[in-house]
């Protein structure tokens, strides 16, 4: 049984060592064996407008009036949002706002409370 990590590009389990490099025979991706150990620690850090690190479940405040796309509603400055969830993508915060419903927000328009 091989204890080598799967390919980070295509998740193939058929990786092999070639000197100091690891190689994937399916997609021809090559990477350093030392890089694969550090790659597991690379969690995306999402920060608010002033640089505070955000986490799931935090409470945030909106710092700018935000128009809701496809609606005449506006999220006003100072609106408090509880229990956020961090997601990948352009809009990195998933939340529910009272009176509006489920929304996705960009972290650059919020501040941690």
């Amino acid at each position: 049984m091989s204890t080598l990590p799967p390919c980070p590009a295509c998740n193939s389990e058929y990786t092999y060592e070639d000197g100091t490099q690891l190689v994937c025979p399916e997609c021809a991706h090559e990477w350093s064996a030392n890089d694969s150990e550090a790659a597991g620690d690379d969690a995306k850090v999402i920060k608010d407008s002033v640089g505070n690190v955000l986490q799931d479940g935090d409470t945030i405040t909106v710092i700018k009036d935000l128009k809701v796309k496809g609606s005449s509603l506006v999220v006003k400055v100072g609106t408090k949002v509880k229990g956020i969830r961090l997601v990948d993508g352009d809009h990195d915060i998933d939340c529910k706002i009272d009176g509006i419903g489920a929304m996705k927000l960009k972290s650059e328009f919020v501040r941690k409370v």
Side-chain angles (χ1 to χ4, degrees), residues 84-96:
I84 65 168
R85 192 176 58 149
L86 302 177
V87 295
D88 289 333
D90 186 33
H91 293 73
D92 36 29
I93 298 172
D94 212 4
C95 61
K96 281 189 178 178

Side-chain angles (χ1 to χ4, degrees), residues 47-53 63 107-108 110-112:
K47 296 183 179 184
D48 68 358
S49 62
V50 293
N52 297 324
V53 177
I63 63 165
S107 58
E108 63 195 61
V110 300
R111 187 180 72 233
K112 187 174 180 178

Side-chain angles (χ1 to χ4, degrees), residues 31-98:
W31 70 100
S32 171
N34 297 334
D35 291 345
S36 65
E37 296 169 2
D41 299 333
D42 291 341
K44 184 176 178 187
V45 176
I46 298 175
K47 296 183 179 184
D48 68 358
S49 62
V50 293
N52 297 324
V53 177
L54 295 173
Q55 297 178 349
D56 285 346
D58 281 345
T59 300
I60 57 173
T61 303
V62 178
I63 63 165
K64 178 182 175 184
D65 282 346
L66 301 172
K67 294 180 183 178
V68 178
K69 192 172 186 176
S71 173
S72 62
L73 298 173
V74 175
V75 179
K76 296 285 186 180
V77 170
T79 301
K80 237 182 207 184
V81 181
K82 297 178 184 177
I84 65 168
R85 192 176 58 149
L86 302 177
V87 295
D88 289 333
D90 186 33
H91 293 73
D92 36 29
I93 298 172
D94 212 4
C95 61
K96 281 189 178 178
I97 299 177
D98 293 337

Side-chain angles (χ1 to χ4, degrees), residues 3-22:
T3 59
L4 296 175
C7 174
C10 70
N11 290 327
S12 171
E13 59 187 31
Y14 302 112
T15 57
Y16 63 91
E17 286 182 293
D18 185 20
T20 60
Q21 296 284 94
L22 294 176

